[in-house]
Amino acid sequence: MSKLNAIARYELLMAWRRRSLPILWLLLLVGSIFFTTLVANSSRPTADADQADVVESTLAAADLPEWAQGIDMLVVEHTVGLFSVVITGMVFFMVGVTLLMGEVIPLDRQFKVRELLDTLPISRATYLVGKLLGAWIGVLLGILIGGALCVVAIRLILGIYDLRVFAVMWLVMLTPMALVAAALSVLAGSFFGSRRTAVLVGLLVLPFVMTLAMVAVPTLGGIGALIEPIYALVVQMEPSAATNTLIGQRIEDTLLVFAGVVLAAWTVVWGWMRVRSAR
């Protein structure tokens, strides 16, 4: 375990020193804030106090469905707009992760670090897992730091919104896809021995990563309905207890598929490394 932690810490430190982590974090933050500004500019003005009084009143009419009663529609409007903000942030982040994380293992070969590690009692499995953990920790730190900054920035730019829904959308939509993108980029880059070729590999991996994201977004985007049923409408589903159960099941299935993809890729790379070393 100490060897695993050492490899992960080393990778995290190196990623910071070569500036790939700050670049990734900046991509996420800038992309999210930029699109929040677009959403704010496209929504109707709400600054006027008299207009706010008219719009703000909650829905409590008897003829409305139960899930729509007591809902502040201004909050709902702003929160629904954040669905696009999270998707935009995810796209910016995943592109950066896929292109920049592929250099993790090739750099070890390029600077002869791998040869040094081969003289130590470190298994290939430990090496691969340590590299992935280092990349994942950097990604997770970016998501947490970027999310905290976006919470404040969005409140200042857009106004009131449902923080609970934004938080679960940010974590559930962004985290799994970013981790998958990092894993596939790191593992695919392990077949090559230079930073330049690793970036080219990232370009090849990117379409597959983005395809996974576009398939998963309609499923993961329904997470807000588990907080407030009305947000099932974001993924074009009827708010109900049955819908929430279905959304939960779909999210679970999607996460299992992601885990399977990462495990399969890791197994292929680990097997290839063993075969190569046996020659």
Side-chain angles (χ1 to χ4, degrees):
M1 183 61 70
S2 60
K3 297 174 184 177
L4 194 65
N5 291 337
I7 295 174
R9 287 198 304 271
Y10 166 80
E11 180 52 44
L12 186 62
L13 179 61
M14 291 300 100
W16 178 262
R17 286 182 175 177
R18 64 179 179 259
R19 300 292 182 265
S20 59
L21 278 186
I23 291 172
L24 287 176
W25 299 354
L26 190 61
L27 279 174
L28 177 60
L29 184 62
V30 170
S32 301
I33 292 178
F34 173 74
F35 207 80
T36 300
T37 304
L38 294 182
V39 170
N41 290 338
S42 64
S43 36
R44 63 180 182 274
T46 58
D48 184 271
D50 294 333
Q51 182 185 17
D53 289 339
V54 175
V55 177
E56 180 270 344
S57 64
T58 59
L59 296 177
D63 57 339
L64 292 174
E66 183 178 352
W67 52 263
Q69 295 184 16
I71 296 295
D72 188 326
M73 290 307 295
L74 183 58
V75 172
V76 171
E77 178 188 354
H78 289 172
T79 306
V80 169
L82 295 182
F83 178 76
S84 298
V85 171
V86 174
I87 293 177
T88 302
M90 180 184 71
V91 170
F92 273 77
F93 198 47
M94 286 175 56
V95 170
V97 166
T98 306
L99 295 180
L100 293 178
M101 288 296 180
E103 66 185 18
V104 167
I105 293 178
L107 282 176
D108 279 356
R109 296 200 185 114
Q110 185 172 328
F111 296 117
K112 309 302 180 182
V113 175
R114 182 59 193 166
E115 294 178 5
L116 175 62
L117 292 175
D118 286 339
T119 65
L120 302 175
I122 298 175
S123 68
R124 291 164 187 81
T126 300
Y127 174 75
L128 279 178
V129 173
K131 286 294 183 178
L132 281 181
L133 285 179
W136 281 348
I137 291 171
V139 166
L140 289 174
L141 285 174
I143 292 172
L144 294 176
I145 295 172
L149 294 175
C150 282
V151 163
V152 178
I154 291 172
R155 182 64 177 83
L156 294 175
I157 296 171
L158 192 61
I160 190 171
Y161 63 95
D162 194 323
L163 177 58
R164 302 167 304 161
V165 175
F166 172 73
V168 296
M169 283 196 302
W170 185 267
L171 293 175
V172 174
M173 292 180 64
L174 194 56
T175 303
M177 281 310 313
L179 295 182
V180 170
L184 293 179
S185 184
V186 169
L187 294 171
S190 66
F191 291 100
F192 302 90
S194 72
R195 189 176 194 175
R196 181 176 301 176
T197 54
V199 173
L200 295 177
V201 170
L203 291 174
L204 296 177
V205 173
L206 186 59
F208 177 69
V209 169
M210 297 307 298
T211 299
L212 282 179
M214 293 305 102
V215 170
V217 160
T219 297
L220 301 180
I223 186 68
L226 303 184
I227 305 297
E228 286 287 350
I230 193 171
Y231 294 108
L233 299 175
V234 171
V235 289
Q236 299 180 345
M237 300 179 73
E238 182 70 23
S240 68
T243 294
N244 286 2
T245 300
L246 180 59
I247 288 174
Q249 185 61 52
R250 287 181 175 179
I251 291 173
E252 181 179 339
D253 292 343
T254 300
L255 296 181
L256 287 175
V257 169
F258 286 174
V261 168
V262 172
L263 180 60
W266 186 91
T267 303
V268 168
V269 172
W270 174 77
W272 174 78
M273 292 177 71
R274 284 182 59 88
V275 169
R276 190 182 63 171
S277 64
R279 291 175 180 175

